[in-house]
Amino acid sequence: METKQIDYGELFIEFITTFKDNRGRLSYLNQINEIIAYRRKSFYVNFADLFSFNQNLATVLINSPKDIVPILEKKVYDYIIEKDPEYQYEISNIHLRILNIPRTVELRKIRSNEIGKLISVEGILVKSTPVKERLSKAVYQHISPDCMQEFYWPPDEEDMGEIIELPSSCPMCGKAGQFKLIEDKSTFVDYQKAVLQERPEEIPPGQLPRQLEVVFEDDLVDVARPGDRVKIVGILEIKKDSQVKRGSKSVFDFYLKVNSIEISQKVLDEVRISEEDEKKIKDLAKDPWIREKIISSIAPSIYGHWEIKEAIALSLFGGVSKILADGTRIRGDIHVLIIGDPGTAKSQILQFASRVAPRAVYTTGKGSTAAGLTATVTRDKNSGDFYLEAGALVLADGGVAVIDEIDKMRDDDRVAIHEAMEQQTVSIAKAGIVAKLNARATVIAAGNPKLGRYIKERGISENINLPPTILSRFDLIFILIDNPGDSDVYLASHILNVHGNRTTDQNAIEIDLLKKYIAYAKKNVFPKLSEEAKQLLQDFFVEMRRKSVETADSPIIITPRQLEALIRISEAYAKMALKGEVTKEDAERAINIMRIFLENVGLD
Ligand code: ADP
Ligand code: ZN
Ligand code: MG
């Protein structure tokens, strides 16, 4: 007798009207009042709250959302219009959106047993279509002189997807014939498709990233943009969008009908730092030689190249980004470029950088996807839909874009990368799509000399296939020349040792800890310039400017950009030692590495 139907609708109203949060407030009842006041369309429920209220209801919700959600939504809607009858004239239905459900499925582990269930997935949005209008309730007219009647289609609250199957005969008169859509009387809902992809850190080495199509509707469209890292709750569905006759197709794709979406703001939440880790990190920072230790832990299997490792370390830590009073943002990211002869371990160093950075996207100048380095509009071959697709710098938003062979980048990127590296946004206007995406990424790049080998007698811009305008956006540039000579003995023995698996540096910080150290510094340390440091940087900048005027054909023009670079680099040195203040010593180090860079590219 206990197995009789539970009235989930009633239960849900009881939940709304009685559930108290940990501060004793009726938070859901408050939300209902806000929905009424602001004419919102969505009611958000934290899964844990519902679970603690009634496990049964919560479980049914996860397992049979398609049956239960419409019931609950109707109940909430009725409850709202009972409180405020005016609401129904402005908003025709309410969405129940569930947050924080425990069933998080990895994109590569989605299987058919999840179909029809409410699941949670995490990833990065790589592309999305513009917002379109989907017919949610169509009104058709039977075009026949004997009938001409109008009817709603489909008759019940069925979800139509992208394809509408018209009735074979008129529901009003029963005869077959032609039906015409009456647009003015039909209801449409905002509709957007997007593609979710595994986060770069989650892709097993050497494998292609997995993707999942997701569909946003109504107030969820345009909430997230390509490049955003998101957590999505949705119902796993089978795609039936291709025009095939019933029964003729047996292999289908999945898609996720989105129920709720959260955009992850916390840039470094991917790296978990335990209390024990934190202690280790703080202990490391006490070492007066911590910076040397960090630098020598960058690609320890590579012999020499100290300044390059130093530059990579600076770039991984970065400076402090600033928002000026007028809203302008000054980047804190330190962009580094290595130009070098073939076989000088550039790619090896870059790969190391992408492994140790808390968030990184590794690519080549040509780009590993159609979107290249910045962004593009692509067209899906099957559906014909246009998508705005994020490129490497957008996907690396909040992290590092590691770009090997940057000199081979495409022409579109050559134009767009200027904005991406300085304003840290990517603007696009193509095929009717106009958008601006965030690209707050640090660029660590390498390129090969235009002529095969670097020719010292010529200037830097003659040696690399990159315009000066792009070169000037790098804070540090190093040139690696393969010089056969005295150090070859050491180089050889170093490589032989590495191959013999002999640890070359007992002191190197192990890569996982270094990653955590960097994440910790980026999250917690925001050093400020001391007066002494400011003075030093100012004097040096003035001196550089004077010299650059004297050297007529200098390859790098000294502009305020270099002063900003100096500030960032000083901040990065302070961050490396977890210091809250940029001291004179940090500024001296910054000046020193800037000098090496300028001498390197032929300005001294
Ligand atoms: P690049 O990208 O500059 O053309 P790679 O990174 O592909 O060069 O390096 C070629 C190979 O030479 C790699 O296996 C690398 O480990 C080795 N190598 C080159 N220079 C060094 C060095 N200084 N120390 C150790 N190995 C090196
Ligand atoms: Zn008819
Ligand atoms: Mg290479």
Side-chain angles (χ1 to χ4, degrees), residues 284-470:
L284 272 174
K286 284 186 198 134
D287 185 338
W289 297 99
I290 179 60
R291 285 173 284 216
E292 285 67 23
K293 207 165 174 169
I294 290 169
I295 297 160
S296 61
S297 305
I298 301 292
S301 68
I302 301 303
Y303 171 80
H305 303 332
W306 182 265
E307 301 82 34
I308 288 169
K309 294 182 180 186
E310 186 158 358
I312 301 281
L314 288 166
S315 181
L316 290 168
F317 281 84
V320 180
S321 70
K322 287 149 199 126
I323 312 276
L324 304 184
D326 65 355
T328 337
R329 185 174 173 278
I330 299 184
R331 68 174 156 100
D333 301 86
I334 297 170
H335 301 318
V336 173
L337 173 65
I338 310 168
I339 305 167
D341 288 340
T344 46
K346 298 184 299 296
S347 299
Q348 289 281 339
I349 293 173
L350 253 53
Q351 259 161 29
F352 184 91
S354 76
R355 272 166 47 220
V356 76
R359 193 186 261 191
V361 171
Y362 184 94
T363 185
T364 64
K366 284 191 215 102
S368 26
T369 66
L373 297 183
T374 54
T376 194
V377 172
T378 54
R379 187 165 198 179
D380 187 271
K381 270 193 236 102
N382 297 320
S383 62
D385 291 320
F386 284 106
Y387 279 91
L388 168 62
E389 186 167 351
L393 265 88
V394 177
L395 296 180
D397 185 38
V400 182
V402 179
I403 310 169
D404 204 355
E405 314 207 346
I406 190 172
D407 47 303
K408 306 210 172 47
M409 81 174 117
R410 304 170 199 174
D411 291 341
D412 283 359
D413 284 334
R414 263 173 211 272
V415 178
I417 203 167
H418 292 93
E419 179 197 349
M421 288 181 73
E422 207 62 73
Q423 280 70 47
Q424 304 205 288
T425 51
V426 169
S427 303
I428 192 154
K430 236 190 221 170
I433 297 181
V434 179
K436 195 178 212 172
L437 303 173
N438 281 326
R440 292 157 300 186
T442 304
V443 176
I444 298 181
N448 289 309
K450 191 154 60 177
L451 308 159
R453 301 214 143 247
Y454 199 90
I455 299 174
K456 277 183 250 181
E457 292 67 34
R458 304 210 186 153
I460 178 171
S461 40
E462 278 180 77
N463 268 296
I464 181 144
N465 184 21
L466 287 175
T469 46
I470 293 180

Side-chain angles (χ1 to χ4, degrees), residues 409-597:
M409 81 174 117
R410 304 170 199 174
D411 291 341
D412 283 359
D413 284 334
R414 263 173 211 272
V415 178
I417 203 167
H418 292 93
E419 179 197 349
M421 288 181 73
E422 207 62 73
Q423 280 70 47
Q424 304 205 288
T425 51
V426 169
S427 303
I428 192 154
K430 236 190 221 170
I433 297 181
V434 179
K436 195 178 212 172
L437 303 173
N438 281 326
R440 292 157 300 186
T442 304
V443 176
I444 298 181
N448 289 309
K450 191 154 60 177
L451 308 159
R453 301 214 143 247
Y454 199 90
I455 299 174
K456 277 183 250 181
E457 292 67 34
R458 304 210 186 153
I460 178 171
S461 40
E462 278 180 77
N463 268 296
I464 181 144
N465 184 21
L466 287 175
T469 46
I470 293 180
L471 290 177
S472 73
R473 269 147 177 97
F474 284 96
D475 297 78
L476 292 169
I477 302 175
F478 288 96
I479 293 155
L480 263 180
I481 295 173
D482 188 14
N483 267 332
D486 298 342
S487 62
D488 282 351
V489 177
Y490 301 105
L491 172 62
S493 92
H494 187 99
I495 292 177
L496 288 164
N497 277 337
V498 169
H499 281 250
N501 229 346
R502 294 237 304 271
T503 15
T504 43
D505 195 341
Q506 309 291 345
N507 289 320
I509 305 165
E510 172 267 315
I511 185 159
D512 273 343
L513 183 58
L514 185 56
K515 187 185 240 175
K516 287 175 180 166
Y517 190 103
I518 294 167
Y520 180 87
K522 292 193 83 130
K523 214 173 187 171
N524 300 297
V525 188
F526 303 94
K528 291 201 166 56
L529 286 175
S530 66
E531 283 309 316
E532 277 181 315
K534 275 186 196 162
Q535 193 57 50
L536 265 177
L537 297 181
Q538 183 177 325
D539 294 347
F540 178 67
F541 176 69
V542 172
E543 178 207 339
M544 276 198 307
R545 286 275 264 197
R546 207 190 51 236
K547 276 193 185 163
S548 81
V549 177
E550 286 162 9
T551 330
D553 57 342
S554 72
I556 294 285
I557 303 144
I558 304 292
T559 67
R561 265 214 187 102
Q562 273 72 33
L563 180 57
E564 286 179 1
L566 277 167
I567 296 169
R568 286 191 277 270
I569 295 166
S570 314
E571 288 165 345
Y573 277 118
K575 259 195 199 176
M576 263 196 230
L578 308 186
K579 296 193 301 184
E581 191 188 48
V582 178
T583 58
K584 186 168 162 243
E585 186 216 350
D586 300 314
E588 279 166 353
R589 283 182 185 239
I591 288 169
N592 186 44
I593 195 156
M594 184 63 84
R595 275 220 168 91
I596 297 175
F597 151 44

